[in-house]
Structure formats: structure tokens, C-alpha cells
Amino acid sequence: MAIENIKMPQLGESVTEGTIEKWLVQPGDHVNKYDPLAEVNTDKVTAEVPSSFTGVVKELIASEGETLAVGEIVCTIETEGGNSAPVKEEKNAPDEQSAAPSAGKKEETKTAAQPAKPAGSKGRYSPAVLRLAQDNDIDLTQVDGSGNEGRITRKDLMKLIDSGTIPKAGDVPAAQTPTQQEQPAAQQAIATPEAPKAAPAPIESAPGDIEIPVTGVRRAIAANMLKSKHEAPHAWMMIEVDVTNLVQYRDSIKGEFKKKEGFNITYFAFFVKAVSQALKEFPMMNSMWAGDKIIQKKDINISIAVASDSALFVPVIRNSDEKSVKGIGKEVNELALKARSGKIKSADMQGGTFTVNNTGSFGSVQSMGIINHPQAAIMQVESIVKRPVIMDNGMIAARDMVNLCLSLDHRVLDGLVCGQFLARVKEILENMSKENTSVY
């Protein structure tokens, strides 16, 4: 028999970690090669981890809800053939002479094998734990882990955050804190008591309340949105667009188009086409913040938000500037069907450079979107509504109006380029009509 390790796979080009959402097997279960072992969630997608071997599940190293870095061991499988043992057991296996040490020797061996963690040492932490510790100013050297071999998990940190007892860098246990008499007089003179940090008020369920567990997908969305809001200084702009001609054009062709192509031509496809054209003319909008530099992306890949009953996905329309309205509409339709049927893949959500969100489908008329990290902007397409508008000749007419709301990363973009970009999108949309716009 041989023990083989199953490691956390990389489920995307920028994915560095994954969370075990649900185990599909238990120790002792027989699995074949490529059988699914667990459902894993990342900030990009939920996917299944397949077995790389045929054999019997030996041990589940990671628990449900635990986040591990790519390449870390999630479980072990005992395969047929060979008689090698896992490396971890080989290193710890005692020789024949010390196979039965006395109780005293056992205690000494245990102490030597698990030395106390030196103060200030970094330890071995997952990226999720490091990010959570950094966001909440937690000193990890003072946290006791409940994971495998004392490893600190996200659950450990969330428990500390919820309780309000967060160990800070520089904190000293009470037994080691010098008394006021031992401090120099100069320090006593200038020392001022710091107000204790108020612990978050616990939220208790009342009779009739429904407690909904936080899924890995929802947790990943929350983490990505929090990262975006913490890192990117958001600014917001809005422009009003008269799309009366576009509405008339789309309504005049939708029946024939559906019969010919097999899917509906939506207003959203026209909006994505207009944004893609404007991005080509204002490439700075298609950029990302990279610390010491700004990366202006060559390809125009539009991320769109698609919601299912239980999750939100952000698939990507690649090279949207090279596609027709019909091509964009077809891809939007296909991606939405894949997301809602659970068939969307990680590759479908990679490489987005700018996000267009169809908030108008819910009847919204004004909203402020959170930027889809690491992109520099997101545009919300609001609901098209009829409103009285004063025309150039002074007459009042009922027109189809829509608000376009832009959230921008002020590290990358300024009001000037964003205003010019929105004005160009407005111009393109207001000139879409049967006479000068083709869907093919």
C-alpha cells in the first residue's frame, strides 16, 4: 500500500487559495481516479476537487470551512501497489530500539517535537489568514490555532473578531506587564489611558428568526468586496442618457431576431457594445492598479454579473470590442444559462478588465457599485424609464431615459477621463437607431 497526498489545486490563474465547502467522501470510502472528493470555493468559482488516484480515503486533513493555500494537502488516499508510507510518518517513525520508551521518555519526546512558538515568528499561515489578520490588526503569534497541528484557521480569527478580544502587536500578558511603580516617572507623566475598543454587540436570534449559514461562495464575495473597499478609494459619477431611438429600434426587430437566432436580443447587449467601443477610445479606463505601476490592459474583456438562486457569478465576454451586438447578446445568454445551471467554469470568469452590471433588470434607477477587484471601474446600467424631457425646441416630450452610474478607483482614474468616457458612451447610445446601427 502507498499513501498519496491530494493537494489544493489552482482553480484559476490568479487564485492562491481555496476553501473546503463540503466533503463528498469520508475516511474509508473507496474512490476511483477522477472521482470528486470535495467542493472547493474560491473568490472566482465553486468547483470539485477530483481524485488523482484510485484507492481508499485515508484521512481528511482539512475540515469543512477551512481555507488552504494552493498546493497544501487536503487529504490522503491509500492506493494499491507499493509499500511506501507518507513522508510525514517516515520522519516521525521511531527505530526498533526506541519503539517502547518509558513514560518519561515519551513526555520528553513530545516536548522536543513541539517546541513553543517563538515570539514574533511568522509561522505558516494561509493567504486568507494573513489577509484577515492584516485587515483587523491581529498579532498571529498570540493566537492559538485549532487546525491540523495547531494551524491557525479563518474560523479561529473570526471567533476572536466576533468576541472583540483581538491580540494586537506589542501586547504583553498581564503577568509580564510592569506595574506603574516600575515605569519611569517621565513615562507616567505623559501616559494617557486609551479608551478600550468596544466589542461588537452580539446578535442573538429571537424566536421565529431564521439563521442562514454563510456559504463559501457568499464568504468569497464578502472577502473580495471588503478587499476592494479597503484598498481602492471609490469615487462615483452618473450620466443621464436618452435611449428613445435605441428602444424603438430594438422593439422593432426583437420578434424577427428571436425567430431567426433562437434567443432574445436585449438592451444590455447594446450597452455592452457601446461601453466596449468607448473603452477602445479611452484605454485608461481599461487599467488596473499594481502597486508601483498602473497596467493598461490591451484586451477589452467585459465582466458581467449573473445571479443564480444561491450565488453570484461574474463571467467574462472576451474581446468584446471585436464582437457585434448579436455576438455579445449570444454570449451573454450562454454565460447566464451556464451560471444558472451550475455549469460555469473557472475559465469563464478569468481575465475581466472592466465590469458592466445590469442593475436595471431589478428596476433600480440609481446605484453605487463596488469595483470588481483588481479592475479600476464598474458601470451600472439602470432601468430604462419614460420621463418628460424638455427638447431643444422647448417642447416637452415623453422620452426613454436611463442612468449610467460609474464607480471608479481614484488611484487609477480621475474625473476628467471618466467624464469624457461617460460622455462618449452617451453619444454612442443616443445615436443607435435603425438607420445607423446593425446587430450583425
Side-chain angles (χ1 to χ4, degrees):
M1 297 292 186
I3 304 297
E4 301 289 353
N5 295 326
I6 302 295
K7 299 180 180 180
M8 176 64 71
Q10 184 164 17
L11 299 173
E13 58 185 357
S14 61
V15 174
T16 59
E17 62 189 14
T19 301
I20 301 294
E21 181 74 10
K22 179 182 178 182
W23 280 109
L24 304 177
V25 296
Q26 294 298 323
D29 290 353
H30 183 273
V31 295
N32 295 317
K33 190 174 183 179
Y34 306 124
D35 281 354
L37 301 176
E39 292 180 358
V40 173
N41 171 256
T42 74
D43 61 349
K44 304 290 185 183
V45 70
T46 298
E48 293 179 343
V49 175
S51 175
S52 304
F53 311 94
T54 296
V56 176
V57 178
K58 186 72 174 176
E59 181 184 4
L60 305 182
I61 304 296
S63 57
E64 290 184 355
E66 185 174 354
T67 301
L68 294 88
V70 170
E72 290 196 60
I73 299 173
V74 297
C75 71
T76 57
I77 292 180
E78 188 174 31
T79 62
E80 296 181 359
N83 54 6
S84 61
V87 176
K88 184 172 69 174
E89 294 182 7
E90 287 179 358
K91 289 184 179 179
N92 295 336
D95 56 31
E96 294 180 359
Q97 295 180 354
S98 58
S102 64
K105 288 184 179 180
K106 282 184 179 180
E107 184 64 31
E108 292 173 3
T109 303
K110 181 180 178 182
T111 303
Q114 298 178 349
K117 183 168 53 179
S121 64
K122 185 175 182 180
R124 185 165 171 259
Y125 313 120
S126 74
V129 167
L130 289 173
R131 183 168 63 243
L132 197 58
Q134 183 179 10
D135 290 344
N136 294 275
D137 194 22
I138 299 175
D139 184 1
L140 292 175
T141 62
Q142 299 188 41
V143 178
D144 294 325
S146 62
N148 185 46
E149 298 180 353
R151 192 166 178 270
I152 298 173
T153 67
R154 285 175 57 93
K155 286 185 177 180
D156 297 326
L157 299 191
M158 293 305 300
K159 187 176 180 181
L160 288 173
I161 294 169
D162 292 341
S163 67
T165 56
I166 300 177
K168 306 290 184 180
D171 285 355
V172 182
Q176 301 177 15
T177 304
T179 63
Q180 189 175 17
Q181 289 79 6
E182 293 173 338
Q183 296 176 1
Q187 291 185 12
Q188 292 184 32
I190 62 173
T192 56
E194 184 178 345
K197 197 170 187 177
I203 301 175
E204 298 182 358
S205 298
D209 292 348
I210 300 175
E211 294 186 356
I212 303 173
V214 178
T215 64
V217 172
R218 175 53 54 188
R219 191 181 295 112
I221 292 172
N224 197 48
M225 295 298 97
L226 188 65
K227 181 181 180 68
S228 180
K229 287 293 286 184
H230 276 187
E231 291 188 6
H234 282 56
W236 183 73
M237 299 179 71
M238 184 182 80
I239 196 167
E240 188 178 57
V241 183
D242 185 340
V243 289
T244 305
N245 293 335
L246 171 58
V247 170
Q248 293 174 350
Y249 173 43
R250 180 260 181 183
D251 288 349
S252 70
I253 65 170
K254 65 179 183 180
E256 182 183 349
F257 185 93
K258 175 69 179 294
K259 186 184 297 184
K260 181 180 178 181
E261 304 296 343
F263 63 93
N264 290 319
I265 184 68
T266 64
Y267 295 120
F268 189 61
F270 291 94
F271 284 105
V272 172
K273 178 62 178 177
V275 169
S276 303
Q277 183 177 335
L279 285 173
K280 194 158 188 149
E281 299 175 26
F282 294 91
M284 195 63 192
M285 299 296 300
N286 202 47
S287 301
M288 298 179 181
W289 180 263
D292 59 344
K293 58 190 172 184
I294 294 172
I295 299 177
Q296 187 172 292
K297 305 298 288 184
K298 176 186 176 183
D299 293 337
I300 296 175
N301 301 331
I302 300 293
S303 301
I304 61 172
V306 177
S308 67
D309 292 337
S310 59
L312 176 70
F313 301 97
V314 191
V316 176
I317 302 173
R318 287 177 172 76
N319 302 117
S320 57
D321 57 312
E322 300 174 2
K323 293 179 168 69
S324 64
V325 174
K326 178 239 175 179
I328 292 172
K330 182 178 181 181
E331 196 159 346
V332 168
N333 184 65
E334 290 174 348
L335 289 171
L337 289 175
K338 289 173 71 175
R340 288 164 186 154
S341 62
K343 297 179 180 179
I344 199 161
K345 299 179 181 178
S346 175
D348 295 325
M349 293 182 281
Q350 302 295 320
T353 59
F354 187 98
T355 298
V356 181
N357 192 10
N358 189 19
T359 45
S361 61
F362 309 114
S364 170
V365 294
Q366 186 172 311
S367 60
M368 298 172 64
I370 299 176
I371 298 165
N372 183 16
H373 181 84
Q375 298 171 17
I378 177 173
M379 195 180 83
Q380 316 274 97
V381 178
E382 304 296 346
S383 182
I384 299 174
V385 296
K386 281 196 177 292
R387 290 209 304 270
V389 177
I390 299 176
M391 307 300 290
D392 292 339
N393 57 11
M395 300 294 289
I396 297 177
R399 306 291 289 180
D400 292 295
M401 307 298 294
V402 64
N403 293 328
L404 303 180
C405 304
L406 182 75
S407 297
L408 58 114
D409 183 344
H410 226 322
R411 297 173 302 178
V412 181
L413 303 170
D414 295 318
L416 177 61
V417 66
C418 291
Q420 292 172 337
F421 169 76
L422 283 176
R424 181 58 179 142
V425 175
K426 173 185 172 78
E427 181 183 13
I428 295 169
L429 288 171
E430 290 186 341
N431 283 282
M432 283 185 169
S433 64
K434 187 173 185 178
E435 292 73 29
N436 54 25
T437 305
S438 173
V439 294
Y440 295 101

